[in-house]
Amino acid sequence: MNNQNMTDIIEAYLKDVLHKKEQIEIRRSEIAKLFDCVPSQINYVINTRFTIQNGYIVESKRGGGGYIRIMKVQVLDEMDRLDSMIEIIGKSISERDSRSVVQNLYENDIISKREAKLMLVAMDQSLYTGDKFTDNRLRANLLKNMLANLRYEMPKKRKAD
């Protein structure tokens, strides 16, 4: 199996286990052994697929009895989710993390597919100044303004694709 497929398989496995439980504790070496891959592959999956922007909190304890705990974030309502995301974004956000925020909003029925596409186009294709630091700050400001606007206009159901 190639690495890209392995990453997707490991992510799907962990999400399946998380679907059954509120949180999971794993040992990196045990999961690596289960999937016959290197432990760094597990780190990659956790660091890229189980971020706060994707709705997860990850805790880890190093050492012999170490573990990685993954928990799905429980947000009370859409307003709380938007406020949390605005806070998480801060002053700067990468293109990858901004895509994760938009995908999370779509998957949780806060925005429609069309709104997600518009948000992604605005953040991806129009923010290239030649300076990554400036791009990430502009992207953060744009995304936070979009999220703040959603807070004031919350229809009951947004899945009108």
Side-chain angles (χ1 to χ4, degrees):
M1 287 188 199
N2 67 39
N3 286 340
Q4 188 176 27
N5 287 339
M6 181 59 69
T7 299
D8 293 339
I9 291 167
I10 295 167
E11 175 190 16
Y13 169 79
L14 293 173
K15 284 184 175 178
D16 185 51
V17 174
L18 269 168
H19 184 70
K20 297 171 187 165
K21 300 179 180 180
E22 208 169 285
Q23 69 179 19
I24 58 172
E25 282 187 14
I26 61 169
R27 286 189 168 44
R28 191 174 67 133
S29 60
E30 290 174 7
I31 299 295
K33 192 175 190 179
L34 177 67
F35 289 99
D36 193 28
C37 66
V38 294
S40 62
Q41 183 77 33
I42 306 305
N43 280 352
Y44 175 79
V45 171
I46 291 169
N47 291 335
T48 60
R49 310 288 176 96
F50 293 89
T51 64
I52 191 71
Q53 292 88 354
N54 288 328
Y56 299 93
I57 294 176
V58 177
E59 298 174 349
S60 63
K61 179 181 177 250
R62 297 191 179 269
Y67 61 84
I68 298 171
R69 180 179 296 140
I70 305 171
M71 298 167 280
K72 182 85 172 141
V73 175
Q74 300 296 320
V75 180
L76 298 175
D77 62 19
E78 292 177 357
M79 193 73 84
D80 288 340
R81 182 178 301 276
L82 293 171
D83 288 341
S84 295
M85 288 187 168
I86 289 170
E87 189 175 316
I88 290 165
I89 292 167
K91 294 182 179 186
S92 178
I93 190 168
S94 69
E95 184 176 338
R96 188 187 87 216
D97 286 346
S98 67
R99 286 181 157 280
S100 294
V101 167
V102 173
Q103 182 175 348
N104 184 288
L105 292 169
Y106 173 69
E107 288 174 356
N108 287 286
D109 295 330
I110 295 173
I111 60 174
S112 69
K113 186 175 185 178
R114 185 169 190 235
E115 289 168 327
K117 285 180 180 180
L118 289 170
M119 290 173 78
L120 292 173
V121 167
M123 289 184 302
D124 293 349
Q125 297 176 2
S126 61
L127 291 180
Y128 295 109
T129 65
D131 177 36
K132 189 174 182 177
F133 177 78
T134 301
D135 293 349
N136 289 348
R137 288 182 65 95
L138 288 171
R139 187 176 296 106
N141 286 335
L142 182 59
L143 184 56
K144 287 190 301 187
N145 284 328
M146 288 181 201
L147 296 179
N149 187 50
L150 287 173
R151 288 173 57 218
Y152 299 111
E153 196 175 312
M154 285 294 213
K156 295 289 183 219
K157 199 66 174 157
R158 297 186 143 270
K159 273 284 199 193
D161 295 339

